[in-house]
Every structure is written in C-alpha cells, then in structure tokens.
Amino acid sequence: QTLLVESGGGRVQPGGSLRLSCAGSRWNLDVWAIGWFRQAPGKEREGVSCISSSGGYTEHADSVKGRFAVSRDNAKNTVYLQMNSLKPEDTGVYYCAAAPYLRTCTVVPKEYDRWGQGTQVTVSS
C-alpha cells in the first residue's frame, strides 16, 4: 500500500557517497514535487532536498548544500538523491515524499502529502 518506495540506503564511511532512489508504486510522479527528508534518532524529521515536478527547480537545506544533489527521471518514475562527502551527522532514516500544487518545491515537511517508509543511511567509520 506504500505509494513511494525508497532504496539505496546502507552503511558508508565518512567522505563516501550513496545514491538513494524514490520510485512511484503504481502511480505517476510527474505532476508531483518530490522532497527528501531525514530523521535521526531522538530528533524531529527535517527537510533535506527537493525537486519540482518538471525537474527545473531544486532546493537544499543549508546542511547539505554543495554535497547533495537531487534529480528525477519521470520516464522511469523515479527521483534520485545523490549524497556525496557524507558526514556522521547525515545518519538517519531518509524519506521521500510527494507534494501537489507546487510550482517549485519546498523542504518544509508539512507541505507533503504522501510519504515512503524510509531507508536507513548510516555514516560511520
């Protein structure tokens, strides 16, 4: 019953890279903005990155600017989050979510209606 499925998480050493995928399950993502969020143990969920429905606009939280990049391939019904130069502080469960009626996108969680179940990212030595 999950409409969004995240994959690509795992354990990586500091400075390493991971590429997360967010795939639509039995519905098209092409008219939805997609956001990426993460939640570390004991902390509230925070916005990470987002991409507009067309892919023409992206936004990133200050904590990941210059290290993370978000892209989408609507033909494959998939959104990607490329994470480089990973730090231990990046550890957490990463979620993708879909928002309607946005001409751009936002990293504010309350704007998103549909959420995946998350994928664990652990950055440690």
Side-chain angles (χ1 to χ4, degrees), residues 65-124:
K65 285 181 179 177
R67 299 189 297 119
F68 289 13
V70 64
S71 61
R72 69 191 302 160
D73 186 342
N74 284 342
K76 296 182 178 180
N77 211 34
T78 302
V79 176
Y80 305 97
L81 181 67
Q82 179 67 48
M83 305 186 295
N84 300 319
S85 301
L86 284 163
K87 304 175 181 179
E89 304 94 279
D90 296 317
T91 293
V93 178
Y94 281 69
Y95 302 86
C96 66
Y101 310 120
L102 296 179
R103 293 183 62 84
T104 54
C105 71
T106 178
V107 293
V108 178
K110 68 179 182 180
E111 299 295 332
Y112 290 83
D113 293 351
R114 301 181 176 182
W115 294 78
Q117 292 185 332
T119 185
Q120 177 71 45
V121 172
T122 302
V123 185
S124 69

Side-chain angles (χ1 to χ4, degrees), residues 3-103:
L3 297 176
L4 296 169
V5 181
E6 302 96 334
S7 62
R11 184 179 296 272
V12 66
Q13 295 184 1
S17 298
L18 286 173
R19 191 185 197 193
L20 306 184
S21 297
C22 173
S25 179
R26 301 181 183 179
W27 64 295
N28 294 327
L29 302 181
D30 58 358
V31 299
W32 296 76
I34 300 295
W36 285 96
F37 305 85
R38 66 188 181 191
Q39 188 166 20
K43 293 188 175 182
E44 295 183 352
R45 190 170 300 181
E46 64 176 347
V48 176
S49 301
C50 72
I51 187 167
S52 63
S53 60
S54 69
Y57 177 88
T58 61
E59 187 172 320
H60 302 280
D62 289 342
S63 60
V64 305
K65 285 181 179 177
R67 299 189 297 119
F68 289 13
V70 64
S71 61
R72 69 191 302 160
D73 186 342
N74 284 342
K76 296 182 178 180
N77 211 34
T78 302
V79 176
Y80 305 97
L81 181 67
Q82 179 67 48
M83 305 186 295
N84 300 319
S85 301
L86 284 163
K87 304 175 181 179
E89 304 94 279
D90 296 317
T91 293
V93 178
Y94 281 69
Y95 302 86
C96 66
Y101 310 120
L102 296 179
R103 293 183 62 84

